[in-house]
C-alpha cells in the first residue's frame, strides 16, 4: 500500500508549478528572454492534456447535444462589436498607483489582500487553539467566542461592506479613502503615497491596416462569446436551427490583467470554452438551472472529489447578466472561479441589432412571432481547468518499500500519453519486438516508447506525466506473445495476451467513459 504525503496547500502549489515545468507541461513564455509576465506556453505533455480537456468539453457540447453546433470565429472583430457588447464602456478595473515605487495595483485587490491578512491571522489563532485542545477542540464554538477572532470577523465584514458599496456605486473616491483608512502600504516602497483611483480598460488594442492614416483601432477579443453573437443569424439560418439551440466555440481571449498572479490562473492570453444557448424570453430561469446542473455533472464526471466544487451566486452582476453564478474549484490557493454561468437576457443581440442596424431576431413558428432570443451562457477557462486537473492529480507518495514516487492521477481518458511501451532490456531482440507492438497500438492511442534506464526508473517517469498504462515486453513475449500491463495508480501488474492490449486499454481510457456519465 502506498501512502500520500501530506503537503500543505502552499507546498503543493509550488510543487505543481515546478513539476509542470520539469515534465514539459507548462513553460514561461519566451523564457530565454526572462519571460513575459502572465503569459505561458504549453509543452509536449501540456499541449496534449489541454487538447484532451478541450475535446472532452467540445464533445460533451457539440456531439452529445443535437441542438448545439460549434463554430470557430476570428480573434479580430469589427471594433463596433465591443461598443455593442459594453466592453469599451464597462470592461474596466479600478487602478491605483504608488507615487514612490511607480507600481500600479488594482485598488479592490489591495483591499481584498488586506482582508486576506485579517483572515489568516484569525486562522492562526484557530490552529494554535486546535493544537492546545486536541481532539476536544470545537472550531465553530471557538470562532464564535474567542474575542480576537470575533473582532477580526467584525472588522472583515465592515471592510467588505465598504468595498462592496464603493464598487457597486462606482465610487472611486470612496475606494481610495478605504485604502487610506486601512493604512495600506505599497509592498514595494512601503509608503502610503497613493494617486487617485482610475478606471482602466482591460482590452488590448492594435491597428488594422498598413498606413497609419487609414489604420483603424481594433481590439484583441476579451471573450469568445461575441464571435458567437455576431454569427447568430448566420448559424440560425444556414443550420436551420430551432429554439432552444446553442452555439459553442473554444479559442483565445486576451485581457490586460493588472493582477496577474497565481501561475496560469489569471493570464493575459488565455483560452475560453463558451456556449451560448438561445431561448425563448421568459424561460431563462428554467434553462439557467438546467445548465447549472449539466455543467456541475460534467465536472463531477472527471472523478475528483465533489467537495472540491461549489456554486457561488453573483451579488454584483456583470453589465450583461440578470442572474449569474460561478462554479468555484478549491485550488491550492483557495476556492476560486473556474466557470461562469450567466443569464445574459437579450442584452448582446439587442445591442448588436442597434449598432449594426441588422434585424437579429428569431421567428418562432410555434408562437407565430419574431423576437430577440434570450441567452444562457456557460463559460469556462481552459487554462483554469488545466490548473484544477494538475493540482488535483498531483500526488507525492511514500511506497511500502520506503521509496517515494510522484504520480499524476489524471483521469485516464484525459491523460496526455495513454500507454508507454517499454522493452525490459535494451537488447536480445526486445527493442525490435517492442517497436513492432508500438507500430500497431499507436494507431489507437497516444503512446510513448522508452528503452533507456532501468524499468523502475521508466515507470517513475511515466507516473510523473500521468500515463495510465505501461506495457513491458520481456523474453517471454518473444515466446508466447504475452506482456505485462502495469496500472499507474495501483501499480499492479497483469500478464495479458498481445492481441488483448488495444481492447483492454481502450476500455479504460476512452473519452466515451466520461461522456457516458453525463449523457
Ligand atoms: N463570456 C463571459 C466571460 O468571459 P468571465 O467570467 O469574464 O466571463 C469566463 O470569464 C471564464 O474565463 C472564467 O470563469 C475563467 O475560467 C476564464 N478566465 C477569465 N479571465 C481569465 C484570465 N485572465 N486568465 C485565465 N482564465 C480566465
Amino acid at each position: 500500500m502506498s501512502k500520500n504525503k501530506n503537503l500543505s496547500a502552499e507546498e503543493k502549489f509550488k510543487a505543481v508549478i515546478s513539476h509542470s515545468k520539469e515534465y514539459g507541461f507548462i513553460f514561461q513564455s519566451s523564457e530565454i528572454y526572462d519571460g513575459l509576465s502572465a503569459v505561458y506556453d504549453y509543452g509536449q505533455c501540456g499541449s496534449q492534456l489541454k487538447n484532451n480537456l478541450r475535446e472532452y468539453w467540445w464533445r460533451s457540447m457539440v456531439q452529445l447535444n443535437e441542438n448545439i453546433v460549434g463554430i470557430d470565429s476570428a480573434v479580430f472583430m469589427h471594433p463596433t462589436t465591443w461598443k455593442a457588447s459594453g466592453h469599451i464602456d464597462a470592461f474596466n478595473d479600478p487602478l491605483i498607483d504608488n507615487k514612490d515605487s511607480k507600481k500600479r495595483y488594482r485598488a479592490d485587490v489591495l483591499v481584498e489582500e488586506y482582508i486576506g491578512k485579517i483572515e489568516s491571522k484569525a486562522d492562526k489563532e484557530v490552529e494554535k487553539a486546535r493544537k492546545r485542545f486536541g481532539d476536544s477542540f470545537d472550531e465553530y464554538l471557538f470562532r464564535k467566542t474567542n474575542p480576537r477572532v470575533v473582532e477580526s470577523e467584525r472588522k472583515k465584514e465592515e471592510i467588505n461592506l465598504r468595498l462592496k458599496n464603493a464598487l457597486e456605486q462606482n465610487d472611486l473616491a470612496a475606494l481610495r479613502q478605504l485604502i487610506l483608512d486601512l493604512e495600506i502600504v505599497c509592498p514595494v516602497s512601503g509608503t502610503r503615497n497613493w494617486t487617485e483611483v482610475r478606471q482602466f480598460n482591460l482590452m488590448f488594442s492594435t491597428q488594422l491596416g498598413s498606413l497609419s492614416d487609414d489604420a483603424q483601432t481594433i481590439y484583441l477579443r476579451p471573450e469568445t462569446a461575441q464571435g458567437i453573437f455576431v454569427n447568430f443569424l448566420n448559424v440560425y439560418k444556414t443550420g436551420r436551427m430551432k429554439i432552444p439551440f446553442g452555439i459553442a466555440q473554444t479559442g483565445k481571449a486576451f485581457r490586460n490583467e493588472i493582477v496577474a498572479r497565481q501561475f496560469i490562473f489569471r493570464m493575459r492570453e488565455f483560452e475560453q470554452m463558451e456556449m451560448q444557448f438561445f431561448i425563448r424570453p421568459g424561460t431563462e430561469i428554467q434553462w439557467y438551472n438546467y445548465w447549472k446542473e449539466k455543467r456541475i455533472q460534467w465536472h463531477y464526471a472527471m472523478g475528483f472529489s465533489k467537495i472540491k466544487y461549489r456554486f457561488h451566486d453573483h451579488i454584483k452582476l456583470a453589465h450583461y447578466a440578470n442572474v449569474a453564478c460561478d462554479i468555484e474549484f478549491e485550488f491550492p490557493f483557495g476556492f476560486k472561479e473556474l466557470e461562469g454561468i450567466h443569464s445574459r437576457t437579450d442584452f448582446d443581440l439587442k445591442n448588436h441589432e442597434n449598432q449594426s442596424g441588422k434585424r437579429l431576431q428569431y421567428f418562432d413558428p410555434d408562437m407565430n412571432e419574431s423576437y430577440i432570443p434570450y441567452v444562457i451562457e456557460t463559460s469556462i477557462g481552459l487554462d483554469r481547468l488545466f490548473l484544477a486537473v494538475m493540482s488535483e492529480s498531483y500526488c507525492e507518495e511514500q511506497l511500502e518499500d520506503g521509496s517515494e514516487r510522484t504520480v499524476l492521477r489524471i483521469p485516464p481518458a484525459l491523460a496526455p500519453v495513454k500507454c508507454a511501451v517499454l522493452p525490459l532490456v535494451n537488447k536480445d531482440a526486445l527493442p525490435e519486438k517492442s517497436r513492432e507492438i508500438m507500430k500497431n497500438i499507436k494507431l489507437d492511442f497516444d503512446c510513448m516508447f522508452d528503452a533507456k534506464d532501468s524499468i523502475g526508473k521508466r515507470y517513475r517517469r511515466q507516473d510523473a506525466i500521468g500515463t495510465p498504462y505501461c506495457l513491458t515486453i520481456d523474453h517471454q513475449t518473444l515466446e508466447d506473445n504475452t506482456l505485462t500491463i502495469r496500472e499507474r495508480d495501483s501499480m499492479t501488474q497483469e500478464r495479458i495476451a498481445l492481441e488483448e492490449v488495444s481492447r483492454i486499454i481502450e476500455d479504460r481510457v476512452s473519452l466515451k467513459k466520461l461522456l457516458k456519465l453525463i449523457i
Side-chain angles (χ1 to χ4, degrees):
M1 278 282 286
S2 60
K3 230 176 84 193
N4 264 3
K5 273 171 61 181
N6 258 336
L7 300 178
S8 72
E10 201 177 323
E11 285 168 341
K12 183 159 185 195
F13 189 37
K14 276 191 184 146
V16 167
I17 294 173
S18 60
H19 192 85
S20 296
K21 172 159 187 207
E22 190 180 343
Y23 286 92
F25 283 87
I26 297 168
F27 306 126
Q28 175 84 59
S29 159
S30 2
E31 194 184 328
I32 57 167
Y33 296 105
D34 295 333
L36 191 62
S37 164
V39 186
Y40 291 90
D41 296 340
Y42 286 82
Q44 63 281 13
C45 287
S47 55
Q48 199 68 22
L49 172 56
K50 203 172 165 202
N51 284 343
N52 295 344
L53 292 169
R54 193 189 297 106
E55 191 184 346
Y56 173 41
W57 183 89
W58 183 267
R59 287 176 60 179
S60 75
M61 284 292 177
V62 177
Q63 185 178 335
L64 296 193
N65 293 288
E66 288 165 35
N67 59 349
I68 298 183
V69 292
I71 64 164
D72 182 12
S73 71
V75 167
F76 292 145
M77 299 181 70
H78 192 284
T80 312
T81 305
W82 308 111
K83 184 76 198 149
S85 70
H87 284 83
I88 287 180
D89 297 323
F91 196 51
N92 300 320
D93 273 348
L95 298 188
I96 191 165
D97 292 18
N98 182 271
K99 291 182 195 163
D100 299 317
S101 67
K102 311 272 184 265
K103 289 273 171 204
R104 180 165 289 179
Y105 301 93
R106 245 176 76 178
D108 54 334
V109 172
L110 282 179
V111 177
E112 276 166 7
E113 285 177 349
Y114 185 90
I115 294 171
K117 281 186 194 147
I118 299 179
E119 273 169 349
S120 67
K121 249 195 203 160
D123 288 347
K124 275 190 191 139
E125 292 282 348
V126 172
E127 285 320 306
K128 258 201 299 190
R130 192 192 307 284
K131 279 197 187 125
R132 210 168 47 239
F133 294 115
D135 285 347
S136 62
F137 181 62
D138 181 340
E139 181 175 335
Y140 178 78
L141 193 66
F142 183 81
R143 283 189 184 272
K144 285 274 165 273
T145 53
N146 178 277
R148 278 193 295 270
V149 178
V150 171
E151 173 55 18
S152 299
E153 195 54 35
R154 189 201 59 74
K155 205 168 162 195
K156 207 179 91 180
E157 273 173 23
E158 183 190 312
I159 301 170
N160 256 327
L161 186 67
R162 282 182 68 184
L163 177 64
K164 183 170 162 270
N165 286 342
L167 290 176
E168 276 180 6
Q169 288 154 23
N170 202 13
D171 187 344
L172 302 182
L175 192 50
R176 179 172 189 268
Q177 195 55 48
L178 182 56
I179 290 172
L180 297 181
D181 292 348
L182 297 174
E183 301 187 347
I184 294 175
V185 297
C186 164
V188 177
S189 66
T191 71
R192 284 182 250 145
N193 197 4
W194 296 111
T195 61
E196 299 302 309
V197 178
R198 282 162 302 154
Q199 293 287 18
F200 176 86
N201 196 284
L202 294 182
M203 284 195 293
F204 286 102
S205 62
T206 187
Q207 301 297 317
L208 189 76
S210 52
L211 298 172
S212 59
D213 284 352
D214 34 85
Q216 187 181 25
T217 299
I218 56 164
Y219 300 94
L220 299 189
R221 65 181 177 196
E223 61 170 15
T224 55
Q226 296 307 322
I228 294 178
F229 289 120
V230 299
N231 278 298
F232 161 75
L233 209 57
N234 287 335
V235 175
Y236 152 46
K237 296 273 185 209
T238 60
R240 297 184 299 121
M241 309 303 289
K242 276 195 78 179
I243 266 178
F245 73 89
I247 306 179
Q249 86 162 322
T250 69
K252 290 282 179 118
F254 305 83
R255 296 182 188 178
N256 198 358
E257 300 278 5
I258 290 302
V259 179
R261 282 196 303 244
Q262 296 163 327
F263 195 35
I264 55 169
F265 181 79
R266 196 178 299 286
M267 299 153 85
R268 297 203 163 104
E269 174 180 341
F270 58 99
E271 190 163 339
Q272 289 186 316
M273 306 193 287
E274 300 201 295
M275 193 279 297
Q276 313 294 322
F277 199 66
F278 298 91
I279 54 172
R280 191 181 285 173
T283 61
E284 65 267 27
I285 297 301
Q286 171 203 332
W287 284 113
Y288 171 73
N289 289 330
Y290 172 88
W291 280 107
K292 266 178 84 171
E293 181 57 21
K294 272 272 184 202
R295 293 305 303 149
I296 196 76
Q297 293 304 335
W298 182 89
H299 288 281
Y300 289 164
M302 280 184 280
F304 300 123
S305 168
K306 288 186 181 175
I307 61 169
K308 288 277 163 183
Y309 301 88
R310 71 180 187 196
F311 282 109
H312 167 75
D313 294 321
H314 287 199
I315 301 166
K316 183 176 184 288
L317 293 169
H319 58 272
Y320 48 73
N322 71 348
V323 49
C325 70
D326 296 334
I327 294 177
E328 291 189 338
F329 182 80
E330 192 178 16
F331 290 95
F333 38 86
F335 270 100
K336 298 271 178 210
E337 174 185 348
L338 170 61
E339 168 158 8
I341 300 164
H342 312 121
S343 166
R344 292 181 79 127
T345 65
D346 57 359
F347 176 89
D348 302 86
L349 287 179
K350 197 164 72 190
N351 286 343
H352 285 304
E353 193 174 83
N354 289 341
Q355 290 287 340
S356 66
K358 303 274 169 9
R359 209 171 125 86
L360 300 180
Q361 303 209 354
Y362 172 78
F363 176 73
D364 192 326
D366 299 332
M367 295 172 71
N368 200 25
E369 69 177 66
S370 293
Y371 53 79
I372 301 179
Y374 270 34
V375 169
I376 304 297
E377 166 185 74
T378 74
S379 173
I380 178 167
L382 178 51
D383 312 86
R384 278 192 198 176
L385 177 64
F386 189 107
L387 182 58
V389 169
M390 280 300 271
S391 31
E392 219 30 49
S393 303
Y394 182 87
C395 278
E396 290 182 15
E397 287 181 351
Q398 190 100 47
L399 304 183
E400 259 179 356
D401 63 3
S403 63
E404 291 185 358
R405 72 163 182 163
T406 300
V407 55
L408 285 186
R409 294 174 180 268
I410 300 174
L414 302 170
V417 177
K418 300 291 190 267
C419 157
V421 178
L422 314 172
L424 183 63
V425 287
N426 204 5
K427 57 182 183 183
D428 304 339
L430 296 188
E432 291 75 11
K433 180 71 181 173
S434 304
R435 283 273 174 220
E436 196 187 302
I437 293 170
M438 173 88 178
K439 200 172 154 198
N440 279 321
I441 62 166
K442 75 179 177 195
L443 292 169
D444 295 322
F445 316 106
D446 287 299
C447 298
M448 194 182 265
F449 184 90
D450 191 2
K452 204 164 170 280
D453 296 324
S454 72
I455 191 73
K457 272 195 183 154
R458 282 181 274 160
Y459 284 153
R460 291 288 168 277
R461 278 204 289 267
Q462 295 304 324
D463 289 342
I465 61 167
T467 306
Y469 295 102
C470 288
L471 301 176
T472 309
I473 289 81
D474 57 18
H475 295 92
Q476 193 181 330
T477 316
L478 302 178
E479 287 164 21
D480 64 4
N481 267 338
T482 62
L483 46 73
T484 319
I485 184 164
R486 172 191 181 267
E487 198 269 334
R488 176 193 69 196
D489 297 343
S490 61
M491 292 181 286
T492 51
Q493 302 192 13
E494 207 185 324
R495 192 136 202 121
I496 57 168
L498 187 51
E499 71 254 23
E500 290 288 289
V501 167
S502 280
R503 187 189 57 75
I504 290 176
I505 300 180
E506 169 68 22
D507 208 34
R508 300 179 195 174
V509 306
S510 158
L511 250 190
K512 207 165 150 182
K513 237 182 144 77
L514 296 193
L515 295 174
K516 264 188 178 166
L517 296 173
I518 53 167
I519 196 163

